[in-house]
Amino acid sequence: DGGITQSPKYLFRKEGQNVTLSCEQNLNHDAMYWYRQDPGQGLRLIYYSQIVNDFQKGDIAEGYSVSREKKESFPLTVTSAQKNPTAFYLCASSVQGDSYEQYFGPGTRLTVT
Amino acid sequence: RKEVEQDPGPFNVPEGATVAFNCTYSNSASQSFFWYRQDCRKEPKLLMSVYSSGNEDGRFTAQLNRASQYISLLIRDSKLSDSATYLCVVPNTGTASKLTFGTGTRLQVTL
């Protein structure tokens, strides 16, 4: 089955620790994205990548880092510099960089205490 | 005006009812629009695309009013399974790939 997987589904961390969220896709999509969703707010773009070995900051990149070493994988690291890391994190992919139809993974719910 | 604005709801409707949501957008240059559906604590899934005046898929109709800068989603003969949050999505013009998501409108269909 083709799709996007994110792991883990739930993640708990202590404040001050970096944490890496996994995102893998086998759809052969070029572009991948990371969003966070907070209650009462729309999805906000953290980082996106249109091609391997290249990525751009989104609207709220501070406190996050990404890498895109393989087409299938786009891990997101939430660093200790992120002031409010507790959120629902969603990874998405699309066929091309300018395709607006994005397909989402099931998300990772991160809680930092 | 916000980039994308939606009434958060909730819209509580009985099964079989017709319900409509509106979404306003600020960028008059936007050419395409999307409605995504998001179930509670799940990922968003593409419901419909709107590239011109409108689009119809079964019980769902999306319409675009460029003059007033809004898109609407009409659901006919509501089912219990239609209960979800509906997200209005507008691509950022001039920047490939970036989408602006509305906060969503919550629909609850009841017996």
Side-chain angles (χ1 to χ4, degrees):
Chain A
D1 272 342
I4 304 175
T5 56
Q6 290 186 244
S7 59
K9 190 172 182 180
Y10 297 96
L11 188 56
F12 297 87
R13 277 293 183 271
K14 292 288 188 186
E15 198 173 318
Q17 293 179 335
N18 290 357
V19 60
T20 297
L21 311 184
S22 165
C23 176
E24 304 278 331
Q25 55 98 359
N26 61 4
L27 299 167
N28 200 32
H29 285 174
D30 293 306
M32 297 186 75
Y33 315 82
W34 273 106
Y35 295 90
R36 71 175 275 168
Q37 187 175 35
D38 297 280
Q41 296 195 42
L43 276 68
R44 291 183 291 167
L45 183 64
I46 303 172
Y47 268 98
Y48 65 103
S49 168
Q50 295 180 268
I51 197 168
V52 175
N53 292 323
D54 187 43
F55 49 83
Q56 287 80 40
K57 291 182 179 180
D59 300 317
I60 54 164
E62 186 176 347
Y64 299 98
S65 65
V66 293
S67 63
R68 186 88 188 275
E69 297 175 1
K70 297 187 298 182
K71 188 174 185 177
E72 307 78 37
S73 179
F74 192 40
L76 173 75
T77 297
V78 184
T79 75
S80 56
Q82 168 49 232
K83 295 286 186 281
N84 298 294
T86 294
F88 186 40
Y89 289 88
L90 288 156
C91 179
S93 69
S94 64
V95 173
Q96 298 172 348
D98 59 356
S99 167
Y100 301 125
E101 297 188 19
Q102 296 183 10
Y103 299 85
F104 285 84
T108 292
R109 204 163 289 275
L110 173 66
T111 303
V112 176
T113 57
Chain B
R1 176 187 266 185
K2 284 186 182 177
E3 286 186 79
V4 180
E5 198 155 10
Q6 296 183 253
D7 181 341
F11 284 57
N12 295 301
V13 302
E15 205 174 14
T18 295
V19 62
F21 315 130
N22 276 353
C23 165
T24 58
Y25 61 94
S26 60
N27 186 351
S28 59
S30 297
Q31 295 294 313
S32 55
F33 307 86
F34 300 86
W35 284 102
Y36 277 71
R37 172 197 167 122
Q38 186 174 25
D39 293 298
C40 188
R41 302 177 77 83
K42 300 280 190 181
E43 73 275 22
K45 292 184 180 178
L46 181 65
L47 178 67
M48 295 187 77
S49 308
V50 188
Y51 292 105
S52 55
S53 60
N55 190 10
E56 185 172 330
D57 183 5
R59 298 182 293 109
F60 297 83
T61 301
Q63 291 189 316
L64 168 62
N65 184 317
R66 290 191 189 277
S68 301
Q69 292 181 217
Y70 75 84
I71 59 172
S72 62
L73 178 67
L74 180 79
I75 305 175
R76 289 182 295 277
D77 188 23
S78 300
K79 312 289 184 195
L80 293 175
S81 57
D82 294 333
S83 298
T85 297
Y86 291 84
L87 308 177
C88 174
V89 183
V90 180
N92 291 21
T93 55
T95 305
S97 312
K98 293 182 71 175
L99 303 178
T100 298
F101 286 79
T103 55
T105 297
R106 194 156 73 86
L107 171 65
Q108 184 66 51
V109 181
T110 57
L111 287 171

